[in-house]
Amino acid sequence: QKEVEQDPGPLSVPEGAIVSLNCTYSNSAFQYFMWYRQYSRKGPELLMYTYSSGNKEDGRFTAQVDKSSKYISLFIRDSQPSDSATYLCAMNNQGAQKLVFGQGTRLTINP
Amino acid sequence: SQTIHQWPATLVQPVGSPLSLECTVEGTSNPNLYWYRQAAGRGLQLLFYSVGIGQISSEVPQNLSASRPQDRQFILSSKKLLLSDSGFYLCAWRGETAQQYFGPGTRLTVL
């Protein structure tokens, strides 16, 4: 079993829809949770960063962490074609030098 | 603000030839630095990381090596490239807590 599981998709939704992207993990020591957005042929860009449980909102993006279920989510409201990209979750525990990444979910927003 | 550079952006090399990819970071001191490889349609594979000058941790026993000759310089090398070395190579630096910031990447094709 992988330490972090992420559905690779592809996921295709119409413009304006609410998108939900998810990751599950097995290591209960994870405390730092990140979402990256990667456009084709570009490096990943840090989108959201949260510590421990709870929600964090930034514009149309909301990151949610449920440590009791070992489940994290990224919600995109009013999705735009420019949101079409691969989204990777990443996480690690206190003091760790390395991040553990999900496989990434390929998202397409159709105009 | 911090900036990370990688070059070259693209590279086409014959099998058996040497390789040198360079990564430099500006605007931060003594960062943790990382080399990742991303095969087409696949997730991120950590190759090497460094917590300081001359300190290299290897994650995969392959024909690749890494060096950190200066505080903000990280180099990925190979003496003889294999077909399986083709991929998208990404350099990253670690922020104050756990998050990592990626460079633009180098796309390597070995023929």
Side-chain angles (χ1 to χ4, degrees):
Chain A
Q1 183 187 4
K2 290 181 182 177
E3 219 171 352
V4 177
E5 298 275 1
Q6 183 177 10
D7 187 338
L11 181 62
S12 182
V13 301
E15 183 176 355
I18 296 174
V19 176
S20 173
L21 304 168
N22 311 294
C23 287
T24 59
Y25 62 95
S26 57
N27 188 344
S28 58
F30 286 152
Q31 292 182 292
Y32 300 94
F33 303 93
M34 284 138 270
W35 285 97
Y36 288 86
R37 177 176 63 195
Q38 185 176 22
Y39 291 116
S40 180
R41 308 180 77 84
K42 302 289 185 183
E45 168 195 5
L46 181 63
L47 199 57
M48 299 288 282
Y49 168 71
T50 53
Y51 170 71
S52 195
S53 283
N55 293 359
K56 184 174 183 179
E57 190 174 317
D58 184 1
R60 297 183 295 110
F61 299 89
T62 300
Q64 200 170 74
V65 175
D66 183 349
K67 291 192 72 180
S68 62
S69 302
K70 299 192 185 73
Y71 189 87
I72 69 170
S73 301
L74 177 71
F75 297 96
I76 308 174
R77 292 184 300 280
D78 187 24
S79 56
Q80 306 293 312
S82 58
D83 296 327
S84 298
T86 296
Y87 290 80
L88 300 113
C89 64
M91 53 198 78
N92 72 352
N93 46 289
Q94 181 85 26
Q97 302 294 343
K98 300 178 284 187
L99 289 178
V100 182
F101 284 88
Q103 282 290 99
T105 299
R106 187 173 176 184
L107 172 68
T108 301
I109 309 297
N110 300 302
Chain B
S1 64
Q2 298 85 2
T3 312
I4 181 167
H5 304 278
Q6 284 186 249
W7 62 90
T10 58
L11 193 58
V12 180
Q13 292 285 93
V15 169
S17 63
L19 173 73
S20 181
L21 302 181
E22 189 164 343
C23 170
T24 59
V25 182
E26 295 176 358
T28 185
S29 295
N30 196 32
N32 281 17
L33 295 173
Y34 302 81
W35 277 114
Y36 290 88
R37 178 169 60 203
Q38 190 174 37
R42 305 284 296 276
L44 291 168
Q45 179 188 28
L46 179 63
L47 301 175
F48 301 94
Y49 71 95
S50 171
V51 299
I53 296 173
Q55 299 179 67
I56 308 294
S57 295
S58 174
E59 293 293 304
V60 247
Q62 297 183 351
N63 66 319
L64 299 172
S65 62
S67 62
R68 186 167 177 177
Q70 299 180 42
D71 181 37
R72 285 170 279 185
Q73 185 184 31
F74 205 19
I75 297 172
L76 183 69
S77 304
S78 174
K79 291 182 179 177
K80 288 186 178 181
L81 283 169
L82 307 172
L83 285 174
S84 57
D85 291 323
S86 293
F88 192 41
Y89 287 82
L90 290 155
C91 181
W93 67 276
R94 185 173 185 261
E96 286 185 359
T97 47
Q99 69 272 41
Q100 293 181 17
Y101 300 93
F102 287 85
T106 294
R107 188 159 303 278
L108 172 66
T109 303
V110 182
L111 301 174

